[in-house]
Amino acid sequence: MLVVMQAHATEEQVKEVCKRIEGFGLKAHPIPGSIRTAIGITGNSGAIDIGTLESLPGVVECIPVSKPYKLVSRDVKEEDTVVRIPIPSGEVTVGGKAIVMVAGPCAVESEAQVMAIAEQIAKTGVRLFRGGAYKPRTSPYSFQGLGEPGLKILAKVRERFGLGIVTEAIDNESLDLVEQYADVIQIGARNMQNFSLLKRAGRARKTVLLKRGMSATLDEFLMAAEYILSEGNYNVILCERGVRTFADHSRNTLDLTIVPAVKKRSHLPIVVDPSHGTGRRHKVLPLSLAAVAAGADGLLVEVHHEPDKALSDGMQSILPEEFRLLAEEVRQIAAVVHRTMN
Amino acid sequence: MLVVMQAHATEEQVKEVCKRIEGFGLKAHPIPGSIRTAIGITGNSGAIDIGTLESLPGVVECIPVSKPYKLVSRDVKEEDTVVRIPIPSGEVTVGGKAIVMVAGPCAVESEAQVMAIAEQIAKTGVRLFRGGAYKPRTSPYSFQGLGEPGLKILAKVRERFGLGIVTEAIDNESLDLVEQYADVIQIGARNMQNFSLLKRAGRARKTVLLKRGMSATLDEFLMAAEYILSEGNYNVILCERGVRTFADHSRNTLDLTIVPAVKKRSHLPIVVDPSHGTGRRHKVLPLSLAAVAAGADGLLVEVHHEPDKALSDGMQSILPEEFRLLAEEVRQIAAVVHRTMN
Amino acid sequence: MLVVMQAHATEEQVKEVCKRIEGFGLKAHPIPGSIRTAIGITGNSGAIDIGTLESLPGVVECIPVSKPYKLVSRDVKEEDTVVRIPIPSGEVTVGGKAIVMVAGPCAVESEAQVMAIAEQIAKTGVRLFRGGAYKPRTSPYSFQGLGEPGLKILAKVRERFGLGIVTEAIDNESLDLVEQYADVIQIGARNMQNFSLLKRAGRARKTVLLKRGMSATLDEFLMAAEYILSEGNYNVILCERGVRTFADHSRNTLDLTIVPAVKKRSHLPIVVDPSHGTGRRHKVLPLSLAAVAAGADGLLVEVHHEPDKALSDGMQSILPEEFRLLAEEVRQIAAVVHRTMN
Amino acid sequence: MLVVMQAHATEEQVKEVCKRIEGFGLKAHPIPGSIRTAIGITGNSGAIDIGTLESLPGVVECIPVSKPYKLVSRDVKEEDTVVRIPIPSGEVTVGGKAIVMVAGPCAVESEAQVMAIAEQIAKTGVRLFRGGAYKPRTSPYSFQGLGEPGLKILAKVRERFGLGIVTEAIDNESLDLVEQYADVIQIGARNMQNFSLLKRAGRARKTVLLKRGMSATLDEFLMAAEYILSEGNYNVILCERGVRTFADHSRNTLDLTIVPAVKKRSHLPIVVDPSHGTGRRHKVLPLSLAAVAAGADGLLVEVHHEPDKALSDGMQSILPEEFRLLAEEVRQIAAVVHRTMN
C-alpha cells in the first residue's frame, strides 16, 4: 500500500498518517518528493482495511501495491502447473506442451443427441467431452438442463467412447453429483464469485475448470482460483470466455490479452472458449486459431450435429465436420508456437 | 424477432428463411423495403433458439424484439408494486409514496459494534437495519462474516430496537438461516445470476432485496427478479449499486438512469446503494441526494461508528452523525419530488 | 512512480533497477517489505517514460503515483474557480453559489425555430442559450449544421433576448467563427482529445465548455482541460454528458459520481448535460434533479418546441413547458443543497 | 426501423403511430403478434430522426434495423477491396492474399534514431515504415512530435530505403503536410470521430489508415470510414488497436472478434495494432500471431532500437531482432490461414 499526500500537506499531516499506520501494527516509510510526499507501508497482513487512511486530512489516495493472491502466483511457484486428468483411455494433461481440445454440445438434450455428437467428436481424436446437465439461463422460462439424468447420459459417453467429461455445477447440490459423474467440474462465468461454490469445489477431488466472470479483472479471476486452491484443490484450469463491454458486434468481447497476462502472474493453465466468447458460428474458427496463437493451453468448443435445433446457444455451435477442420488448423497453429495437440 | 436480409438477398433466400421460420411452428411476415427485406416473426414461445436463422444464406442479422420477462413487467401489472414488510414496530412499505432508508454497518463484527451503531440509527427514525453476517469477499483471506452467530446478533437488534433486519444470503444453506432471522433477504450483486439461489429465494416467505450485478443489463436485472417471482414470491425490491466500467475515479459507476428505466418497464420498487455505488465516503452524501432526486424508492447506506476500524468497506462507511445529516437532507429532497420519508 | 519487485527478486535485480532510475537523473527509494521490495521514485519531471523499467528482470509492475495535471489541480489553487461570462444583459457566473442553466435546441435549424425556442427560454429567466451550428454526426448523410449562417442566427438571439450564446466548434476554422459570434465555445465529447483544437481553444478569449469524452477517465478529462489552461485560457467549464458502457437502457451512462470527484481534484466548475447523458426525454427531468443534488454547478438541457420534427436528437429534447417545470424543480433542489439559481 | 408497441397498446395507439410514420413520407407495416404488435417501417431515407416515435403513447421502443452505411458495405460491393499503395520500390497491396507488415518507432525523435531503426526494418523485407511526426499525447507537457522536420526525416527514410511511409495527421494543417510527404495518412483513435479531419482525408489522394476509436462500436467505425469514402477517397484501411474496458491487465482490450465482424459487413481491409492494443512488450508477439490467425490483413508494430530511451510508448515497443522473430512466426501463421507475406 502506498499513501499519496497532497502537495500542500503539512508535516503534521504526514506524521499523523504514519502514526495511524503504525497503530495498525505496520511500518511506515515516508518518501519525500519534490512536489509531494508518499508513504510506503510494509508488513501488511491483508487482514486490515487500511484504505480508511484515505479519509485523513492531507491524503490524496491509497494505492494498493501487493497483489493479494498467494497460491496461484508465480511468485510462489515459478514453473507452469500441468494438470493431469485421468480418463478411461489414459490421461489428459493441461498446461504442458500439448494443446487440449474440449468439445461437445452446449446442453445435454437427450441420449440420442449426445451419443451422435460424441461419436463424431471421438473420431477426431479429441479426448475431453463437454455438455451441460445444469444450465444457468438468463430466463426462468428457458431450458434449464436435464439435471442428474443428463449426468447419467454423460457417464455413458465416458464409458462408450473413453472420453473424459467436463460439465458444469451450479450449486453445492449439483456439485456433489457432478463430482461423482464427471472428470472435470466446470464453474461458469456467472458463478465465478459464488464463493460458497468455489470453496466446495476446493474440497472436491476432481479438476476444476473456472470460467472468467463477465466483468472480472485479472486480479479477481486469480482470487477466485485462489479460493479453490486455498481449500486444497490445486488442479485448476482457468478459462477466458469473453467479457462484457460496449461492443455489440459479438455476444462478448473475447479478451485474448489475458492469456499472456495470466502466464506472467500465475502458474495455472488457461484455455479459451471461443463459442461463448464470440457468440457467432462464423467467428468460432478464426478466434480458435487466434487463441492458440496467443498462447492458450487449449480450447472449449461447442459442437452440435443439428445446431438449428439446439435447445440453447445454437447460434454459436459448429457442426462436427466444421470442428474437424478447426482441429486440423489448430494443430498447424500449435506447431508454429511450438506446441502439440493432446 | 426480426430477421434482416442482405440488400442483394435473392427471393429464394427470403423464401427459405420464411420456410425455416414456419418449420419452428411460427409465423413469418416478410416486409419488402426499398433496399432490403426484413422478416417479422410472431408466435415465438421463447422455447426455441431461432437465432440460428442468422447463419442462413442472405441473412444479415436477427434482432430480438419481445422482452422476455412477464411477471415483473408493467405490461402485466400497470400500477406500482408496494412491498409491505412487517417489522416489530409496525410495517415498512417500499415503493409507495414514502422513501425507505436502510442503514447499518457493512459487516456484523461483534455484538458491541452492532448494538452501538443500531442505537444511533434507531434514533434517526430509520426502521430498517442492514448488516452482513455472510460476506462475499474477493479474497479467501479476508473476513468472511460471523455466520449464524452474526444473525443472532441481528436478531437482538430487531428485538431491542424494533428495527427490521436486512441481511445477505450467499447460498441455499445461509438463505435457510437468513429467512429465519431476518425480515428482508438480500441477494448480492455477485449472486444476481446465481439462479439456484434466486429460485430458493422465490420460495422464501420473506421480502427479497435483489442487487444489480456488476455488469447486468436492465433486461438481465429484471429477468433475475423474474426468477424470484416465477417461484411465487412477489415481494421483490430491486437495488442499483453501481456497475463496472472503465471509470476509475469511483469503485463502481453508479447508474442512476436505471431508476426511471426500471419505472418504465417494471412495477417493482427500486432503491439505491450509494455506499457500494461510489466506494468513497465523500461521495455518499451527494449521490444519496441524487438517487432520491432521480426517483429512487429508498437508500441503503453503510454507517459505522468507527469506520477506520471496520473489518470491511470502511472507506465507504459514514459516521452516525453524518448519516443523521444525510437523512435530513434526503427528507428535503424527497419533498421536492413529492415523496415523504418512511 | 513506484516499482514493485517480484517476491523472489534478487538483491542484484533491485540494485539494477535503482541504477537505471538514477540513470534517468531521478532518485530511487527502495522499501524492503516482508514479502517483496518496492522502489519509490522521486524527482520525475514527467518528460521521461520510465515505464520501461517494467521490462527489467525481477520487476512486476510500475505504478504511477503523481497526477500529471498541474494548473487544473486543487493542489495549485485551493479555492473554487468562478467563471464569469459577460452577456448582453449583464454577467453569468459558473462555479459560484448559483446554479447555471443552459437551454436550447440541439441544432440551429432555422431562424424561425431558434427564435421561437429562445423566446420561451428567455421567459423562464435562463440567461444562456445553446444550439449547434456545427454538428458532429455519426453519419455523413445526417444534417451537419448550418455553419456560419447558423452562428448569425444565434447572434440575433443574443441581440434580441440578451441571452449569452453557447455553441460548438469542431475544428480550428469553425472555432475562429464561434469565438467571434458566441460567448462560450463548446468542445464536444468526440473532440475532447482533439489536442490541436484544445490548444486553439486555449488561445481564445472566450470561456470554453469542455465535454467529457465518451470513454474518458477523470485524469484524461482534467488533462484535456489542462491543455486549454496551459495555453493561457483559465475560463474552462467541465461538462459530464454520459459515458459509454455495456448498459443499453440509456444512450449513455450518466456518471454523476464524477461531480464530487472533480470537486475533490480540481478547482474548475462542472455542469451536467442530462439530455445526451440519458438520450430519452422521460429521463431528462429526474436526472437533471439528480445532477444538481449531486453538486453540479449547472445543467445543459435540450429544449425544442417541436421535438418530433427536430433534425437531430429529438428523442432527448423536452418541450419549453416541460423545461419550465424542470427549472422550477431544480430551483427547489438547489435550495436544499444551499445553492441558488442564476 | 421497427416500432414495438406495449402489450396493452390500443388499436387507436397503433393507428396513431402508423399515421405519424406516414406523415414522415414513409410506409408503416403493422405486424400483430400474440402478445403485442410491432410496426415495420420502410422507405426511411435516414434524413429524419424518427426515433421520436418512442415518446408516443403505447410505444415501448424503436429498434433501428437498416445499417446506415452504404459505400463501405458489402451490400454495395461484394468482393474485398484491395488497396494499392505505390512506394519507391514498387507497390504494396493491402486486403489481398498477402499480409502487410508496417513497422517503426512510435515517434520520430531524431534522424539518427529513425535511420537506425529503418535500416534494420528494411532488412527484414518489410516495405511500410511507420513513425509519428505529430503525436497526440494525453498531457500537454509530453513530447508532442517534431512536426514538419519529422516528416522530412521520414521522407529521407523513403528515399534511402525505398520504404513506404505511414504517419499520422492530427488536424487539417498537418494533413496537408502529411499528404505531401507520406504514402499513407494515419487517422488516430482519438480523431476517429473528428469529422472535419475525416472529410479532409476523404479529399486526399493518398491511402488513409483509420484507427478505431477507443469506444467505437462497429457501426461507428464503419461510419467514420464512410465519411472518407463519401468524399471520394476509396483507399481506406481500417485498424483495430484495442478498446477501453474495465480490464486493467493491458493498456487496452484488443478486440480481435471485430476482424471477422468487419469482414462480414464491409469490403474494406482491416489490420491490427498489437502494440497499442496491448501496451506491453511481452504481449506484442502473442497478439500479433493471434491477429493474423483471426484473419487480419496486416499488422502495425512499434519497433525501437532502444525502447528504454524512447520518448513515447517505450513499454510497448520491441527490439528490431524481436521484430525479425515476430515477422518469421507471422509468416508461418499466415501460411496456415492460406495467406502470404507482403
Side-chain angles (χ1 to χ4, degrees), chain A residues 20 51 54 137 139 141 144 171 190 193-194 196 199 215 220 223 226-227 244 280 308 315, chain B residues 20 51 54 137 139 141 144 171 190 193-194 196 199 215 220 223 226-227 244 280 308 315:
Chain A
R20 191 72 70 103
E54 206 160 301
R137 300 299 298 273
S139 164
Y141 312 120
Q144 308 270 319
D171 52 20
R190 291 179 184 80
Q193 291 197 316
N194 180 339
S196 172
K199 286 180 190 169
S215 57
E220 289 169 345
M223 286 309 287
E226 184 86 19
Y227 261 93
R244 178 150 285 176
R280 286 295 183 279
D308 296 358
M315 259 202 289
Chain B
R20 192 71 69 101
E54 205 160 303
R137 300 299 297 273
S139 163
Y141 311 120
Q144 307 271 320
D171 52 19
R190 291 179 184 79
Q193 291 197 317
N194 180 340
S196 172
K199 286 179 190 170
S215 58
E220 289 169 345
M223 285 309 286
E226 184 86 19
Y227 261 93
R244 178 150 286 174
R280 286 295 182 281
D308 296 358
M315 261 202 289

Side-chain angles (χ1 to χ4, degrees), chain B residues 218-229:
Chain B
L218 173 58
D219 279 359
E220 289 169 345
F221 192 16
L222 293 178
M223 285 309 286
E226 184 86 19
Y227 261 93
I228 302 171
L229 272 74

